[in-house]
Amino acid sequence: VFHSASCVGTLLDRLCHKVEIVEIAGESWRLKEANERTSRRRSRPPKPPG
């Protein structure tokens, strides 16, 4: 999409020029759910062949 890394850098500079960064403390719900999905996959018994 972008022709060079400098184009991406320029775009990010313009997007972030007057931005306020809000830091949120606490556990990420997405990370928590992803970890739960991963642990469920590991705990499943293997499928029978056939």
Side-chain angles (χ1 to χ4, degrees):
V1 173
F2 299 104
H3 299 289
S4 66
S6 62
C7 289
V8 176
T10 302
L11 177 66
L12 289 174
D13 285 343
R14 290 180 187 217
L15 287 173
C16 298
H17 178 66
K18 292 187 177 183
V19 123
E20 288 186 34
I21 298 173
V22 178
E23 189 173 333
I24 301 173
E27 186 178 349
S28 166
W29 283 77
R30 282 194 240 174
L31 181 59
K32 179 183 171 187
E33 290 176 357
N35 288 337
E36 288 173 359
R37 281 193 305 271
T38 302
S39 65
R40 275 188 260 142
R41 285 184 192 149
R42 290 181 183 165
S43 64
R44 284 188 202 164
K47 291 182 180 180

